[in-house]
Amino acid sequence: MGAVCGPEHHRMVTDALGHYGLARAQRESEFFFADEMMTVPHWTFDQADANRITSPVLLGYGEHSPAMTRRLVERLAQMLPDADTAALAEANHAAPLTHPSSLATMINRHAQRRL
């Protein structure tokens, strides 16, 4: 988590979910990092897949998310037929924990405009 959420990720998770929440997040993330991560290179998503997504899509990211995240969002926005992008100010990849109200507002505004 430190790679995408920064060095303060333990504090952010603890502040949002408490010590039990941090322990649970660490315990439950083991499956992803130990088992699912090995399959990531085999995942595919091409233009044909993107074209099948006909609903409006909001691609949100934190202003302080890693450059890799911003590049991925930009690439997906180019691929998807009906995508909007939005950055959350002062947020990183942990925005659902650190900026839940701002994230909810972003999603609500998108929904009001697009749906």
Side-chain angles (χ1 to χ4, degrees):
M1 284 184 62
V4 293
C5 298
E8 297 291 318
H9 70 279
H10 280 103
R11 182 193 51 76
M12 287 187 288
V13 174
T14 302
D15 288 351
L17 304 175
H19 292 287
Y20 174 76
L22 174 62
R24 182 177 176 190
Q26 289 173 323
R27 183 177 64 252
E28 292 180 3
S29 68
E30 289 176 10
F31 172 75
F32 175 77
F33 290 107
D35 299 318
E36 288 186 338
M37 193 63 154
M38 294 183 299
T39 68
V40 170
H42 305 287
W43 293 355
T44 61
F45 185 79
D46 60 17
Q47 192 61 56
D49 294 322
N51 290 340
R52 285 194 292 274
I53 300 173
T54 58
S55 299
V57 175
L58 173 62
L59 300 168
Y61 61 95
E63 174 183 59
H64 299 296
S65 291
M68 169 192 69
T69 300
R70 293 189 300 278
R71 286 192 303 271
L72 178 59
V73 165
E74 291 167 8
R75 176 71 178 123
L76 287 171
Q78 292 171 356
M79 293 176 72
L80 294 166
D82 192 6
D84 293 325
T85 62
L88 278 176
E90 301 301 318
N92 64 20
H93 199 65
L97 296 176
T98 60
H99 296 76
S101 295
S102 298
L103 180 59
T105 298
M106 174 194 291
I107 294 167
N108 187 44
R109 285 184 182 151
H110 179 279
Q112 294 298 318
R113 282 194 323 268
R114 303 302 306 275
L115 301 178

